[in-house]
């Protein structure tokens, strides 16, 4: 079965994932923890990694079943067809979120537009294109995952 990207109402990601799971549809809503501060307290909360998006694993013929749940807006499309996410990409996201460590990535003498293969960290073996080279960091585009990464330069 394929993984598809479902666009949801804002702030409804966790609720929709839970309701789709109750209906027997496999979902993945990647969560990160962050500390929110109010005027009187701080609280650690789990928020979706991708705002207004969840992943569903469902057969092509059953794709319309997700619209039974209130808050589902539409599928994400790419080139006129529903965007399909590979299993390896979902596993990369899960692996990245499960890593408690901070990894240093060293990129020496690279220029904008160079393609590199990351050698360590949660995105190891992923190909990236250097979008920007700054004094203290690089901006990398991970084309296979469709995301942008900011990597600090390691001090020598």
């Amino acid at each position: 079965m394929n993984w598809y990207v479902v666009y949801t109402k804002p702030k409804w990601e966790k609720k929709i994932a839970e309701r789709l799971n109750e209906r027997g549809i496999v979902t993945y809503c990647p969560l990160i923890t962050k500390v929110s501060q109010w005027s009187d307290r701080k609280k650690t909360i789990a928020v979706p990694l991708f705002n207004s998006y969840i992943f569903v694993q469902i057969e092509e013929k059953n794709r319309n079943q997700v619209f039974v749940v209130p808050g589902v807006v539409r599928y994400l499309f790419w080139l006129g067809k529903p965007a399909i996410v590979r299993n390896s990409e979902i596993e990369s996201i899960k692996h990245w979120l499960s890593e408690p460590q901070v990894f240093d990535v060293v990129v020496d003498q690279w220029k904008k537009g160079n393609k590199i293969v990351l050698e360590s960290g949660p995105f190891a073996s992923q190909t990236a294109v250097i979008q920007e080279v700054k004094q203290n960091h690089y901006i990398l585009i991970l084309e296979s995952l469709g995301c942008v990464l900011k990597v600090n330069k390691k001090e020598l």
Side-chain angles (χ1 to χ4, degrees):
M1 284 190 285
N2 293 323
W3 284 96
Y4 296 97
V5 183
V6 173
Y7 183 71
T8 67
K9 287 185 175 181
K11 311 280 188 208
W12 283 44
E13 303 91 348
K14 293 191 287 187
K15 187 184 307 182
I16 290 171
E18 183 181 313
R19 289 189 179 152
L20 287 172
N21 281 332
E22 289 170 358
R23 294 183 174 274
I25 297 173
V26 178
T27 65
Y28 178 54
C29 181
L31 300 173
I32 56 173
T33 56
K34 78 174 207 177
V35 177
S36 290
Q37 183 168 352
W38 288 270
S39 60
D40 61 337
R41 67 187 184 284
K42 288 183 181 181
K43 187 175 182 181
T44 303
I45 57 173
V47 295
L49 177 62
F50 305 108
N51 293 330
S52 297
Y53 291 107
I54 62 168
F55 302 99
V56 295
Q57 190 177 35
I58 194 166
E59 290 183 27
E60 172 75 28
K61 64 182 180 181
N62 298 329
R63 278 191 317 113
N64 287 336
Q65 289 181 0
V66 299
F67 296 110
V68 173
V69 174
V72 172
V73 177
R74 62 181 172 83
Y75 280 98
L76 182 70
F77 279 76
W78 175 255
L79 300 175
K81 295 181 180 179
I84 295 175
V85 180
R86 291 178 287 209
N87 262 339
S88 62
E89 294 168 335
I90 296 291
E91 291 305 317
S92 289
I93 294 169
K94 287 179 179 179
H95 177 70
W96 176 64
L97 290 175
S98 69
E99 288 291 328
Q101 305 170 13
V102 174
F103 291 91
D104 289 326
V105 178
V106 178
V107 183
D108 292 325
Q109 300 175 353
W110 294 104
K111 296 180 179 153
K112 182 178 177 179
N114 287 131
K115 278 194 171 188
I116 61 170
V117 176
L118 301 176
E119 295 177 358
S120 65
F123 295 109
S125 76
Q126 293 288 325
T127 303
V129 176
I130 298 175
Q131 181 183 28
E132 218 174 286
V133 179
K134 296 288 185 181
Q135 186 175 357
N136 297 323
H137 67 272
Y138 293 95
I139 303 292
L140 307 176
I141 299 175
L142 298 174
E143 293 175 335
S144 65
L145 297 177
C147 67
V148 178
L149 204 67
K150 179 180 176 182
V151 180
N152 292 329
K153 290 183 181 179
K154 188 175 183 178
E155 293 189 27
L156 301 174

